[in-house]
Amino acid sequence: MLKKAWRPLVALAAAAVAVVGTATNTQAQPSGFTPEHYNQIQFGMTVEQALAAGGGPQSCWATESSLECFAKDPLNGPHASFEFTRAGQLSRKWHEGIFEVKTPSITLAQYDKVAVGMTEEQLWLAVSKDSCVLKGEAYPFYPSKQRYEREYMCAAEPGPHAPRAWFWFTNGALTDKYKSILT
């Protein structure tokens, strides 16, 4: 049995554990990140600035070098990732499901017209821009803007498991492409 003098300390410790547990649970289930939040997070921002623009801890988890933000359930919902340089500036942003394809319509014939070395403008001559979404972009050596990377995902039909194609560009030239169940 505890002495009466220890009871307040034990009660205080139990309360602290409850508060920490609640804070951990709150941080473990962020939600509410929107396309507007994504667009407000700009290259060169610090983690703190990006966290504030992303809706704060109710939407995002932050570390010294990254930020993860969630629109809904962190395990299954739309989310975004942000990476920061050693100097603490945003250099890469990427999302899954934050933005949806307007008109999914890419075909295998369109995909086959796209070749490594093409420009983004040439991609849009072969594939409808409305069937694609910008998935990610980066300045890997930020603040230098001499290297710029973009990734597009194009869908053939609506849905998370629809036939898709991905196109990766560096400094405006296609460097790689990939397709999944595209017919």
Side-chain angles (χ1 to χ4, degrees):
M1 188 178 245
L2 295 174
K3 293 184 179 182
K4 287 185 181 184
W6 286 96
R7 286 184 184 162
L9 292 175
V10 170
L12 182 60
V17 167
V19 168
V20 169
T22 301
T24 301
N25 288 340
T26 300
Q27 189 177 22
Q29 296 297 322
S31 64
F33 188 77
T34 66
E36 292 77 20
H37 288 128
Y38 186 90
N39 287 334
Q40 289 175 8
I41 299 174
Q42 301 295 313
F43 290 103
M45 283 185 162
T46 65
V47 173
E48 294 79 18
Q49 291 168 327
L51 179 62
Q58 59 273 17
S59 297
C60 305
W61 286 316
T63 69
E64 288 181 20
S65 62
S66 69
L67 185 68
E68 301 293 326
C69 300
F70 301 90
K72 297 178 185 171
D73 174 12
L75 299 176
N76 300 311
H79 59 279
S81 295
F82 304 90
E83 295 176 17
F84 298 81
T85 65
R86 289 181 190 200
Q89 295 178 298
L90 179 67
S91 63
R92 180 177 303 275
K93 53 194 281 188
W94 178 88
H95 77 89
E96 180 67 46
I98 297 295
F99 295 95
E100 296 293 330
V101 172
K102 291 180 187 175
T103 312
S105 62
I106 189 171
T107 65
L108 180 59
Q110 291 171 332
Y111 175 85
D112 287 341
K113 289 180 185 177
V114 179
V116 170
M118 285 180 137
T119 65
E120 290 183 47
E121 294 78 24
Q122 291 170 318
L123 171 68
W124 305 133
L125 293 174
V127 175
S128 168
K129 195 169 189 174
D130 285 344
S131 71
C132 304
V133 66
L134 179 63
K135 296 274 293 175
E137 54 189 326
Y139 290 101
F141 306 108
Y142 195 88
S144 170
K145 293 189 177 181
Q146 291 191 356
R147 181 178 170 122
Y148 181 59
E149 300 171 349
R150 285 187 168 192
E151 174 191 351
Y152 291 96
M153 185 279 298
C154 306
E157 56 193 55
H161 304 293
R164 298 170 186 258
W166 291 264
F167 301 97
W168 291 272
F169 288 85
T170 300
N171 294 337
L174 184 68
T175 55
D176 200 7
K177 67 180 196 170
Y178 175 78
K179 64 180 170 47
S180 174
I181 58 176
L182 195 59
T183 57

